[in-house]
Amino acid sequence: MRVAVVGAGITGVCVARELSRYRVEVHVFDAKPDVGWGVSKANTGLIHACYDDDPERFPVRAKACVEGNRMWRSLVEELSIPHSWDGSMVVGDEEDLPRLRELLRRGIRNGVPELRIVEARKLEPLIKGEYALYAPTAGQISPPQAVIAIAESAAINGVRFHLETEVKGIRVKSGEVEAIITNEGEVRVDAVVNAAGLKADEVAGMVGLPMEIRPRKGEYLIFDEDAGPKPSHIIFPVPSERSKGVVVTTEVSGHLMVGPNANDVQDKEDVSTTVEGLREVYGKASKLWPLPPMNKVIRSFAGLRPEPRGGDFILGRTEVGGFYNAAGMRSPGLTAAPAVGKELASMIAEDLELDRKLRWKAGRPLPVDGGGVVCRCNLVTSGRVRWAIERMRFLGVKTPSVDSVKFRTSATAGTCQGSFCRVHIARMLAEEYGVPLWQVTLKGKGSELGVGDVKALVI
Amino acid sequence: MDVVVIGGGPAGLSAAIRAQELGLKVVVVEEGRLGGILPQCIHTGFGLLTYGEDLTGPELAHRLINSYQGEVLRGHAAGLEYSYHRKRVRVITEGGTVTLEAPTVIYAAGARERHAHEIGIVGDRVAGIYTAGEAQALMDLYGVLPGREVVIVGSGDVGLIMARRLSLEGAKVKAVVEMLPYPGGLARNLMILRDFNIPLLLNHRVVEVRGRGRVERVKVVSGSKEEWIKCDTLLVSAGLVPRVKLLRRAGAIIDERTSGPLVNDRLETSLPGIFAAGNSLVINDLVDYAMEQGRIAAEGAEEFIREGGIPSQDWVKVIPGDNVRSVVPQLISPGREVIAYVRPSKPLNDATLTLPNGRVRLGVIKPSEMLRVRVKAEEGGVAHVEIQG
Amino acid sequence: MSPTSKFRVNCIVCPMSCYVEVELDGEIRVTGYRCPRGKEWAVQEALSPKRVVVTVLKVKGGDLPVVSVKTDPVPRDKVREVIRELSKVELVPPLRVGQVVAEVDGVKVYVTREVRGGQQTF
């Protein structure tokens, strides 16, 4: 038996890892050069407490979120995923108390433990607001590192990753999936899991199923580590219908981060930042927290969320035999992913009558350190960079990219944004991958570090 | 050990050489190449004031390295702990973490470059965006050509020098874009624009980058006008920032005007026995000044050790006045003639500098050319430094 | 240069940055300078400007793939030719600072960074 997972984002790797517990061949396909380079790499990284999802309107979301939150607590330990469990505060004033109570009641209905309304400044003295809904079970992870860790764990248990491999079509015969067609050829499969994020609608279309996923852009600002005070909780405004709002948080790496806004866009590749968007983010965040000035920003970025029609996750069996959706994973998709993975895997195991493996390994190798410092801002050593490159090769990363090292080590993500160390990391990648230095990429083919050797245009 | 010098660039090595001449036992901590940024600055213009010779960066580095015979510890200084008699410097080396102890520290860790995110450039985060110094290292140390069609942000020296290097190696520099109404570089570097026919866009800003994978075009604005320039490379030469993280975390006071530590005329920071020199003290445009600061700091360290501390005095506070962006040192001894570095805040054609000890006719001045002057102030006052146009 | 052209330049001999004008109309007339060195430099710059060329040459088996070099002053309009010629050169270590490693039309090329043989360094 063989299962294909389309998409190596957080959802895809969670499904693959859960499937690896069964006696089945699992193949994960992704068009990007590394795992988690779509929706997963650019979001807030929050493990939500799950008081926000209305169980009547979004029953799938509400259920998966609560269970996912519980699963993350052990997953971060099992796989050594960088995390913090700071708890979140939805902050408001006197007039917001009814809304905070509404969220509290919803949280109680969802089964969220330890929720309470508190005097905000007792917990967080610099916060701008009187009252807060405090949710101690909310946490944070580094999403790209989480995807990598889960993918590695899956690979250790036999899952095969096919990166830079685009799924072009899915062959269906008498209402059952039969094969998956990629730019690398055709593979016969017994089941397909559509975890293709922003492109899940295209993949559903390949088997004739209607689906609509619209990209919703969110922009972020990250400040220098010593730029100003940082909160010890995740701070939310009172949420709107569209989104949970601009968050202020001290991210896992220790930097103050604010974002995202929420703007619907057309282009599923458009992750550009905008002047207006960043201003909006800064303006909204400064209503919650005393922010450092804009010139203390060390990075701005944007990501896209896959917004499904109707707003709820699209999970499970379909009219096409062997075709399963794990799609529309908008917020709280990251939180829900482990639960979604478990649910899908047991569904497929049931349908294909799969047996559990006798032996399955939970953990993954711990990072190695040593050697001199390469990234001065985040104190990443050359030993850690070499380890990251070794892990890239283990997973089947074909194109050497600085970003692959960045997401495994945090090198180049500090104050100077790699202006000192990018070239040193690229030299190690060039050496290990056996390519000329200028051909090392920043983030995949077409983003090479240079255009040739220094005499390329003179000769 | 008498003194730990953090940083083996021109300031650090000059400090180490001088400290040895004064009989101190020195260790230099260097995380990259000895010579600091000099080996990648392959152009001439170094050491004119110190040696009366026009050297290239690597040649100056060679000369400094050969003149220093003392100990060098290869590694990254990751921690600095202050106590009056003993400073501890935690260094991460190839072989593990080493802690150095000495009564004095000379902090000469240099600067970093301001990058695209910090100057508010938005759009796509793609390949082809470099700080000027990163592009310089790529070309002149590692033999990589960064791009074919280049737009440079900022008309400071590094940007102009890279305009020449890229042009020489066959790339096309399409524009140097300067936010201010006047160019930022030294006069000798502005000649590069004439030599290679490179347009200088004053009062313009690059605000946005677009491209898939690599830069394809950048948006340049001036007032309400905007224009897209096609290019595959954006070089950011938007100034340097002193690297003072360790000093700040150790508790040193940072001067908002220089972004470096506040110092007295020995270049001693607010932490007794910790001195600063070079670009981590104040951004210099001439290496000769960075080297001189290293020597002054070394003399301060020697005095600290000999006297058990810099003698107490009623420090005279230097007050930057009209047309002065910053002055280093910020505190001077009464009755003692000391060297000060004055950064003008705008260009003037017939400027006169007023110091407590008199007036100096300067002629043409520019913010890009730091002034080096001798200042003497009397006890019980403040020292106003101002420039009249 | 045409017979009645005017050449304007900011002097770079010293920080005074005099704005010097050189008029070439049969005879040479120079104005705006404040010292003889500036006058001499401006005339040279107007008549036959020279430049020290700095570039890098390829090195096989060195600590780094290239080494920095500088030339004797070259007439400005010959600079590109010198660069083109030098792009063909590949050196092998050891290389000493000041060592002449090439000559283009009588213009000597000097190494400015020491290169020992052996391992590449990071």
Side-chain angles (χ1 to χ4, degrees):
Chain A
M1 291 283 183
R2 195 182 277 152
V3 182
V5 178
V6 185
I10 189 68
T11 312
V13 299
C14 282
V15 173
R17 181 172 184 263
E18 288 302 324
L19 278 171
S20 75
R21 297 175 191 270
Y22 298 92
R23 291 169 174 281
V24 63
E25 208 180 295
V26 183
H27 295 262
V28 182
F29 299 91
D30 201 296
K32 297 253 161 54
D34 201 347
V35 296
W37 276 21
V39 176
S40 302
K41 83 166 176 182
N43 63 72
T44 326
L46 301 184
I47 305 304
H48 293 281
C50 311
Y51 47 75
D52 196 45
D53 304 285
D54 186 335
E56 264 101 62
R57 294 177 59 205
F58 311 114
V60 186
R61 247 164 71 178
K63 182 169 170 281
C65 184
V66 174
E67 203 196 328
N69 178 299
R70 280 198 201 104
M71 289 178 73
W72 273 113
R73 289 179 232 168
S74 49
L75 209 48
V76 293
E77 302 295 338
E78 229 169 85
L79 296 177
S80 320
I81 296 166
H83 64 277
S84 59
W85 232 268
D86 298 330
S88 66
M89 297 168 75
V90 180
V91 62
D93 287 318
E94 186 94 41
E95 67 266 26
D96 299 308
L97 271 173
R99 283 286 285 137
L100 296 182
R101 292 217 168 83
E102 194 187 319
L103 290 173
L104 171 66
R105 280 192 296 272
R106 195 185 286 166
I108 293 167
R109 261 189 297 163
N110 284 351
V112 181
E114 295 282 357
L115 284 176
R116 67 198 81 164
I117 289 170
V118 296
E119 284 173 59
R121 282 189 276 268
K122 293 256 164 79
L123 274 187
E124 193 69 79
L126 296 177
I127 207 166
K128 295 185 179 177
E130 292 295 317
Y131 298 98
L133 173 66
Y134 174 45
T137 55
Q140 289 186 86
I141 54 168
S142 151
Q145 294 211 27
V147 177
I148 291 162
I150 295 167
E152 277 192 20
S153 168
I156 287 166
N157 289 294
V159 172
R160 272 175 262 177
F161 284 86
H162 305 270
L163 298 169
E164 293 185 61
T165 308
E166 199 180 338
V167 172
K168 301 274 195 190
I170 296 164
R171 205 164 61 232
V172 180
K173 199 175 165 190
S174 353
E176 295 276 335
V177 296
E178 188 184 59
I180 193 157
I181 302 148
T182 74
N183 56 332
E184 302 273 308
E186 199 177 302
V187 191
R188 289 186 70 87
V189 291
D190 303 285
V192 173
V193 179
N194 176 14
L198 291 161
K199 299 201 169 162
D201 48 357
E202 287 174 35
V203 173
M206 291 174 190
V207 297
L209 293 173
M211 189 190 284
E212 192 188 333
I213 304 288
R214 283 174 316 169
R216 185 171 285 174
K217 191 193 278 184
E219 293 165 81
Y220 296 84
L221 296 167
I222 297 182
F223 293 88
D224 200 1
E225 41 184 349
D226 291 342
K230 294 179 270 193
S232 45
H233 302 82
I234 304 151
I235 302 174
F236 288 93
V238 174
S240 73
E241 179 65 18
R242 276 171 68 78
S243 86
K244 296 185 179 69
V246 170
V247 178
V248 178
T249 177
T250 307
E251 52 146 15
V252 180
S253 70
H255 294 90
L256 178 71
M257 179 171 87
V258 299
N261 53 354
N263 287 309
D264 291 323
V265 293
Q266 299 302 316
D267 184 350
K268 289 182 176 179
E269 305 281 337
D270 178 10
V271 288
S272 61
T273 53
T274 63
V275 172
E276 307 73 40
L278 295 177
R279 247 185 230 145
E280 178 195 351
V281 166
Y282 187 88
K284 286 183 171 168
S286 56
K287 294 205 175 91
L288 304 175
W289 189 257
L291 295 185
M294 274 291 263
N295 64 8
K296 295 285 181 188
V297 166
I298 59 162
R299 187 164 183 89
S300 56
F301 68 96
L304 297 172
R305 289 100 86 180
E307 195 59 35
R309 182 186 277 272
D312 207 350
F313 298 163
I314 306 166
L315 296 186
R317 300 181 179 96
T318 64
E319 296 146 43
V320 179
F323 189 85
Y324 301 82
N325 278 321
M329 301 290 290
R330 49 97 74 202
S331 179
L334 177 69
T335 311
V340 168
K342 197 174 164 196
E343 169 91 17
L344 265 280
S346 58
M347 204 180 277
I348 293 165
E350 193 185 315
D351 293 356
L352 300 184
E353 299 178 358
L354 303 174
D355 292 329
R356 280 196 168 245
K357 283 179 189 163
L358 292 177
R359 249 181 243 156
W360 188 82
K361 272 187 80 175
R364 63 158 180 156
L366 286 174
V368 172
D369 256 309
V373 171
V374 176
C375 169
R376 302 165 178 186
C377 302
N378 289 347
L379 296 185
V380 180
T381 61
S382 61
R384 182 63 75 104
V385 173
R386 299 253 183 223
W387 168 83
I389 298 171
E390 193 262 310
R391 299 318 288 166
M392 286 162 65
R393 307 211 82 161
F394 170 73
L395 215 54
V397 175
K398 294 174 193 160
T399 304
S401 299
V402 176
D403 267 10
S404 285
V405 173
K406 167 169 122 180
F407 290 135
R408 283 168 177 80
T409 63
S410 86
T412 77
T415 308
C416 86
Q417 287 292 303
S419 53
F420 283 112
C421 69
R422 190 162 18 246
V423 63
H424 298 291
I425 292 164
R427 291 180 76 209
M428 288 186 229
L429 282 163
E431 192 183 291
E432 301 279 344
Y433 273 81
V435 297
L437 178 59
W438 69 268
Q439 275 178 15
V440 171
T441 74
L442 200 58
K443 40 178 83 179
K445 290 197 176 80
S447 69
E448 284 73 18
L449 200 61
V451 295
D453 79 48
V454 65
K455 298 298 175 188
L457 298 180
V458 185
I459 291 176
Chain B
M1 204 55 68
D2 296 313
V3 53
V4 176
V5 179
I6 299 178
L13 284 176
S14 301
I17 294 164
R18 183 74 187 120
Q20 274 197 323
E21 283 170 7
L22 295 169
L24 303 186
K25 238 183 140 277
V26 188
V27 59
V28 173
V29 178
E30 172 54 48
E31 60 193 335
R33 285 190 165 69
L34 272 183
I37 216 71
L38 288 173
Q40 73 182 54
C41 300
I42 67 167
H43 50 280
T44 57
F46 293 89
L48 274 164
L49 301 180
T50 313
Y51 303 111
E53 277 181 75
D54 194 4
L55 301 173
T56 65
E59 288 170 314
L60 174 58
H62 184 71
R63 197 170 281 208
L64 287 170
I65 293 163
N66 283 349
S67 329
Y68 176 61
Q69 303 301 333
E71 204 180 320
V72 177
L73 179 66
R74 301 276 172 174
H76 172 84
L80 171 61
E81 232 179 82
Y82 164 82
S83 75
Y84 187 82
H85 297 287
R86 288 251 156 266
K87 282 81 189 171
R88 285 195 176 83
V89 182
R90 191 167 55 83
V91 184
I92 305 174
T93 72
E94 282 281 337
T97 300
V98 175
T99 301
L100 301 171
E101 285 191 358
T104 63
V105 165
I106 297 174
Y107 188 86
R112 68 172 183 88
E113 296 177 277
R114 220 172 256 122
H115 53 73
H117 291 280
E118 283 174 292
I119 58 169
I121 294 180
V122 301
D124 293 314
R125 297 163 303 287
V126 287
I129 307 170
Y130 310 90
T131 62
E134 183 186 5
Q136 186 176 49
L138 273 176
M139 283 185 89
D140 293 339
L141 291 177
Y142 305 110
V144 168
L145 189 68
R148 290 187 182 87
E149 294 193 306
V150 187
V151 169
I152 297 177
V153 177
S155 58
D157 292 314
V158 199
L160 294 172
I161 281 156
M162 285 314 294
R164 174 170 57 201
R165 283 294 297 127
L166 286 156
S167 301
L168 276 178
E169 302 300 345
K172 168 105 187 125
V173 178
K174 298 188 88 168
V176 171
V177 182
E178 173 57 57
M179 188 172 75
L180 296 171
Y182 49 86
L186 297 168
R188 64 174 187 235
N189 290 330
L190 287 165
M191 289 182 53
I192 291 166
L193 299 172
R194 187 199 285 242
D195 277 3
F196 294 95
N197 247 322
I198 299 168
L200 171 65
L201 307 179
L202 296 174
N203 286 310
H204 280 66
R205 292 190 319 133
V206 171
V207 295
E208 188 173 349
V209 176
R210 295 315 295 256
R212 285 277 154 91
R214 192 178 173 92
V215 177
E216 288 163 20
R217 60 202 160 106
V218 299
K219 194 204 258 183
V220 178
V221 301
S222 179
S224 59
K225 282 186 304 179
E226 57 177 66
E227 176 195 2
W228 286 94
I229 302 181
K230 258 192 70 202
C231 59
D232 64 8
T233 303
L234 180 70
L235 239 61
V236 177
S237 173
L240 304 173
V241 190
R243 284 175 71 201
V244 293
K245 187 158 97 177
L246 287 191
L247 282 181
R248 190 197 290 119
R249 289 186 177 178
I253 297 170
I254 304 299
D255 178 8
E256 274 175 35
R257 288 171 176 267
T258 58
S259 301
L262 183 124
V263 291
N264 61 29
D265 54 39
R266 273 66 160 196
L267 305 187
E268 184 189 36
T269 67
S270 59
L271 300 173
I274 300 182
F275 300 80
N279 278 357
S280 57
L281 168 63
V282 60
I283 300 304
N284 293 274
D285 24 69
L286 293 180
V287 73
D288 302 276
Y289 295 166
M291 290 160 62
E292 179 177 68
Q293 289 151 17
R295 294 192 296 271
I296 295 171
E299 283 159 17
E302 191 276 332
E303 188 180 356
F304 184 95
I305 289 167
R306 178 166 35 88
E307 303 290 333
I310 301 297
S312 298
Q313 48 209 303
D314 188 4
W315 294 103
V316 177
K317 201 169 167 189
V318 180
I319 307 288
D322 288 350
N323 299 323
V324 175
R325 194 199 292 168
S326 65
V327 184
V328 168
Q330 293 85 347
L331 299 168
I332 57 179
S333 312
R336 180 176 188 244
E337 192 182 76
V338 301
I339 289 163
Y341 305 93
V342 180
R343 176 74 69 187
S345 54
K346 66 170 193 240
L348 291 168
N349 279 327
D350 192 13
T352 305
L353 175 71
T354 306
L355 301 168
N357 46 318
R359 292 157 77 91
V360 190
R361 176 115 189 274
L362 299 169
V364 179
I365 62 158
K366 298 171 191 166
S368 57
E369 298 181 16
M370 194 160 78
L371 309 165
R372 177 186 174 279
V373 294
R374 288 176 187 282
V375 185
K376 191 172 170 185
E378 296 315 316
E379 185 153 6
V382 290
H384 288 277
V385 175
E386 56 186 47
I387 298 173
Q388 287 81 34
Chain C
M1 198 149 293
S2 65
T4 52
S5 64
K6 221 181 218 178
F7 181 83
R8 302 178 183 83
V9 67
N10 262 109
C11 181
I12 61 165
V13 171
C14 83
M16 290 301 280
S17 289
C18 298
Y19 186 70
V20 188
E21 274 193 25
V22 184
E23 261 184 281
L24 302 153
D25 121 33
E27 55 182 310
I28 300 173
R29 272 199 307 279
V30 190
T31 50
Y33 64 93
R34 279 181 254 198
C35 74
R37 270 164 62 209
K39 180 182 181 184
E40 192 187 326
W41 178 84
V43 171
Q44 159 103 55
E45 193 58 25
L47 294 179
S48 61
K50 286 187 165 180
R51 298 286 181 264
V52 169
V53 179
V54 294
T55 182
V56 289
L57 303 185
K58 290 185 194 172
V59 181
K60 212 184 169 90
D63 59 342
L64 293 170
V66 291
V67 67
S68 51
V69 295
K70 69 175 182 187
T71 66
D72 287 331
V74 178
R76 195 175 59 186
D77 50 13
K78 290 259 193 260
V79 167
R80 286 208 181 270
E81 188 190 320
V82 170
I83 285 280
R84 228 181 352 262
E85 282 305 309
L86 289 179
S87 69
K88 299 167 193 162
V89 176
E90 188 171 70
L91 305 172
V92 281
L95 300 165
R96 296 186 324 276
V97 173
Q99 186 180 339
V100 176
V101 285
E103 216 175 303
V104 182
D105 280 347
V107 175
K108 288 199 174 77
V109 181
Y110 309 88
V111 164
T112 58
R113 184 175 68 80
E114 188 167 284
V115 183
R116 298 196 188 94
Q119 267 310 99
Q120 293 226 336
T121 55
F122 277 94

